[in-house]
Amino acid sequence: MAPKAAKGAKTEPAPPPAGAKPQEDKKDDKEPLEKPQKLVQPKHEVGTRKGCRRYRWELKDSNKEFWLLGHAEIKILSLGCLIAAMILLSSLSVHPILTLIITMEISIFSFFIMLYSFAVHRYIPFILWPISDLFNDLFACAFLVGAVVFAVRSRRSMHLHYLLAVILIGVAGVFALIDMCLQRNNFRGKRAKKHRLISPPGKEKEPQQGKGPEPAKPPEPAKGKK
């Protein structure tokens, strides 16, 4: 008979059968699943917004910029002056060129107001809208001042409504000049510094490590005279 095992001796577990897979720790099914974290979008940039979320952000940011910089107030005042001048001149017989200039400027100012109010310019990036608006203010000021000069010279005696309309056209031209001065806020920080060269970051030449100074070349032997 085989001798009995000594008391207190530890019995070794039997080896697993061949081909058996090691036991894996079973996770508790009741463990709560991790919720996917929402991507935090920056407040002052578009980020990865798409669709309606992007349009809402563009609409809010465009109107904020349009009203806080003073462009909206100036353009609305210019538009109001031109509409009032058009109403006053509608009851009088005036030269067609005055009606043409006033109608043209009303349509252009209305176009830019709708453009910035509905953030349409944010989806047409291939046009430089600040420069376009700057040139529009410049030409509007020139046309309106020219219309005032033409209206004064074309008549010797002025009706009260005619005089008020001419004054309103001149005021609209002044507002266009003020709006042109406000456009410089869009170009701040974009002027290149003159007479100053700055190397781009990360491309500065550093001394090569591991290479000592180049050995001096031995002097060439002097050639004897023949």
Side-chain angles (χ1 to χ4, degrees), residues 16 95 118 127 148:
H95 199 280
F118 292 97
I127 298 177
V148 170

Side-chain angles (χ1 to χ4, degrees), residues 149-160 162-163 166:
V149 174
F150 179 79
V152 171
R153 288 186 176 182
S154 62
R155 283 201 175 188
R156 295 181 180 178
S157 60
M158 295 185 185
H159 192 270
L160 178 60
Y162 189 86
L163 179 61
V166 171

Side-chain angles (χ1 to χ4, degrees), residues 4-11:
K4 294 182 179 180
K7 293 182 179 181
K10 295 181 180 180
T11 58

Side-chain angles (χ1 to χ4, degrees), residues 184-219:
R184 65 181 182 179
N185 295 327
N186 297 319
F187 302 98
R188 283 183 178 177
K190 298 180 181 179
R191 296 180 181 178
K193 296 181 178 180
K194 297 181 179 180
H195 309 295
R196 187 176 178 184
L197 297 176
I198 302 175
S199 58
K203 293 186 178 181
E204 297 179 356
K205 293 183 179 180
E206 297 179 355
Q208 297 180 356
Q209 298 179 358
K211 291 186 178 181
E214 296 182 357
K217 295 182 180 180

Side-chain angles (χ1 to χ4, degrees), residues 54-64 117-119:
R54 180 189 173 186
Y55 179 72
R56 285 198 300 268
W57 186 90
E58 296 282 8
L59 184 67
K60 182 179 179 180
D61 187 68
S62 176
N63 280 277
K64 181 180 178 181
S117 298
F118 292 97

Side-chain angles (χ1 to χ4, degrees), residues 114-136:
M114 298 290 288
L115 186 80
Y116 291 122
S117 298
F118 292 97
V120 180
H121 66 292
R122 298 293 182 94
Y123 293 87
I124 312 176
F126 56 87
I127 298 177
L128 299 176
W129 290 109
I131 297 179
S132 302
D133 199 1
L134 180 67
F135 279 111
N136 169 60

Side-chain angles (χ1 to χ4, degrees), residues 34-221:
E34 295 181 357
K35 295 182 180 181
Q37 297 180 354
K38 293 183 179 180
L39 183 62
V40 179
Q41 298 290 347
K43 293 182 179 181
H44 304 288
E45 295 180 2
V46 182
T48 57
R49 296 178 178 89
K50 294 181 180 179
C52 294
R53 293 182 61 195
R54 180 189 173 186
Y55 179 72
R56 285 198 300 268
W57 186 90
E58 296 282 8
L59 184 67
K60 182 179 179 180
D61 187 68
S62 176
N63 280 277
K64 181 180 178 181
E65 181 181 352
F66 186 48
W67 286 91
L68 289 182
L69 293 180
H71 300 296
E73 294 87 345
I74 296 297
K75 290 185 185 300
I76 291 174
L77 288 173
S78 301
L79 184 63
C81 291
L82 292 174
I83 291 174
M86 192 70 181
I87 294 172
L88 291 172
L89 293 177
S90 61
S91 59
L92 302 173
S93 59
V94 295
H95 199 280
I97 194 170
L98 290 176
T99 308
L100 176 63
I101 292 175
I102 295 173
T103 307
M104 179 182 66
E105 294 303 329
I106 287 175
S107 60
I108 294 175
F109 277 115
S110 301
F111 168 75
F112 274 98
I113 291 172
M114 298 290 288
L115 186 80
Y116 291 122
S117 298
F118 292 97
V120 180
H121 66 292
R122 298 293 182 94
Y123 293 87
I124 312 176
F126 56 87
I127 298 177
L128 299 176
W129 290 109
I131 297 179
S132 302
D133 199 1
L134 180 67
F135 279 111
N136 169 60
D137 292 331
L138 178 62
F139 289 122
C141 182
F143 275 107
L144 293 173
V145 170
V148 170
V149 174
F150 179 79
V152 171
R153 288 186 176 182
S154 62
R155 283 201 175 188
R156 295 181 180 178
S157 60
M158 295 185 185
H159 192 270
L160 178 60
H161 288 180
Y162 189 86
L163 179 61
L164 291 175
V166 171
I167 293 173
L168 288 173
I169 293 171
V171 172
V174 173
F175 282 140
L177 181 63
I178 295 173
D179 192 24
M180 184 174 61
C181 296
L182 292 176
Q183 292 293 337
R184 65 181 182 179
N185 295 327
N186 297 319
F187 302 98
R188 283 183 178 177
K190 298 180 181 179
R191 296 180 181 178
K193 296 181 178 180
K194 297 181 179 180
H195 309 295
R196 187 176 178 184
L197 297 176
I198 302 175
S199 58
K203 293 186 178 181
E204 297 179 356
K205 293 183 179 180
E206 297 179 355
Q208 297 180 356
Q209 298 179 358
K211 291 186 178 181
E214 296 182 357
K217 295 182 180 180
E220 296 182 358

